[in-house]
Amino acid sequence: MKKPIEINSRFKGLIPPLSKEELETLEQNIVRDGVREPLVVWNHVLVDGHNRMAICRKHGLDFPTLEMEFADDDAACVWIIRNQLGRRNLESIDRVRLALELEPMLRAKAKEQQGARNDIVQKSSQCKPTKTREELAKIAGVSHDTVSKAKAVLESGNEELIEEVRVKEKSLNQAAKEVKLGRASVEVPEDAKEARRQAEADSEKLWALKSAWKRACKQDKEMFRLWIEIQ
């Protein structure tokens, strides 16, 4: 019996959710034409194709798979991030968010190279330290300045402000200025954070969650949080 494909939450969490329109279009295409691009699998774990697999299972459709080899989970994550950045038409803030997932690995690499530079056996021409922020900008396909601003907004913890940038209600420059000026972040309860993580398992549910949050006025935010908690 063929072993079922498993879902790795870390891998799935790296996939930016599709909008409702994108998901509907993908579903229509798959129902009409089938899955044309194989789902990527590593040791029976899904690496790429989460939305396609969900749609196929919903409609009882078969799908092709492509087995790939990775050294470890980190290597698989790097592949996922680079694949998403190369495939999707993402907003700058989402491109930076994905690239930032690689920051710990890039810093470790820079540290290793710095150590090599200090080794008298190594030639200095072979030991230039990696400039992490510049490397992140290159990976994300944005400017160094965009990385700095997007990182400040993302690290502010203000989900409302981040969403405003994502849906183009506010420019990244405006959002970064508000963070610099100390715009208070919205406190999101742990239960609400968990609800969001669970919603990421279903793009359509996540879209509905974001839409409801976006529509809610400030006076309704607390009621909306309470609604999330009881779901």
Side-chain angles (χ1 to χ4, degrees):
M1 184 177 177
K2 191 175 182 180
K3 187 175 180 181
I5 296 176
E6 300 174 5
I7 301 296
N8 180 304
S9 59
R10 181 185 178 194
F11 296 167
K12 188 170 185 177
L14 293 174
I15 310 296
L18 297 176
S19 67
K20 183 180 180 181
E21 292 76 16
E22 288 174 326
L23 190 61
E24 288 176 347
T25 298
L26 179 62
E27 183 170 7
Q28 291 168 4
N29 291 341
I30 289 177
V31 171
R32 184 183 65 244
D33 305 322
V35 177
R36 291 177 290 182
E37 184 178 357
L39 281 62
V40 177
V41 179
W42 171 46
N43 293 335
H44 302 290
V45 176
L46 187 62
V47 176
D48 180 65
H50 295 77
N51 291 306
R52 282 170 283 155
M53 188 170 77
I55 291 170
C56 286
R57 287 180 170 175
K58 175 182 176 181
H59 294 278
L61 302 173
D62 293 329
F63 49 84
T65 60
L66 173 65
E67 182 75 29
M68 292 187 68
E69 292 295 327
F70 299 101
D72 50 32
D73 282 10
D74 284 346
C77 287
V78 170
W79 185 90
I80 292 170
I81 291 168
R82 291 184 181 277
N83 186 54
Q84 287 295 313
L85 289 172
R87 174 191 292 172
R88 299 278 297 278
N89 182 25
L90 301 172
E91 293 299 317
S92 294
I93 196 164
D94 284 324
R95 299 186 70 83
V96 173
R97 183 186 69 79
L98 276 173
L100 286 173
E101 295 286 344
L102 301 176
E103 188 171 29
M105 287 175 269
L106 292 175
R107 289 194 180 282
K109 178 182 176 183
K111 188 175 181 179
E112 289 176 4
Q113 292 185 337
Q114 182 66 38
R117 190 181 66 173
N118 294 331
D119 190 333
I120 59 173
V121 178
Q122 297 290 334
K123 295 180 180 180
S124 60
S125 61
Q126 297 175 331
C127 305
K128 292 182 179 180
T130 301
K131 295 183 178 180
T132 305
R133 192 61 57 83
E134 291 179 3
E135 185 68 16
L136 288 172
K138 183 179 179 180
I139 291 170
V142 299
S143 68
H144 181 282
D145 186 52
T146 296
V147 170
S148 297
K149 291 176 180 176
K151 186 174 182 180
V153 174
L154 289 166
E155 291 182 345
S156 72
N158 192 328
E159 291 294 333
E160 186 175 24
L161 182 61
I162 293 169
E163 186 62 16
E164 287 173 353
V165 175
R166 183 173 287 118
V167 300
K168 298 182 180 179
E169 288 184 350
K170 186 163 292 182
S171 72
L172 181 59
N173 285 338
Q174 289 175 308
K177 286 179 181 178
E178 290 191 24
V179 170
K180 188 174 182 180
L181 291 173
R183 170 172 167 175
S185 63
V186 177
E187 276 298 322
V188 181
E190 283 303 317
D191 288 348
K193 292 179 182 179
E194 179 59 28
R196 180 182 176 85
R197 286 191 287 270
Q198 292 177 4
E200 287 175 351
D202 185 328
S203 295
E204 187 171 355
K205 187 188 297 183
L206 179 60
W207 179 87
L209 179 65
K210 287 181 176 179
S211 296
W213 180 264
K214 179 182 172 183
R215 290 194 303 270
C217 62
K218 291 183 178 180
Q219 291 83 355
D220 294 333
K221 295 295 187 183
E222 188 59 36
M223 292 182 63
F224 185 65
R225 292 193 189 96
L226 291 174
W227 175 82
I228 292 175
E229 291 178 12
I230 63 176
Q231 296 305 305

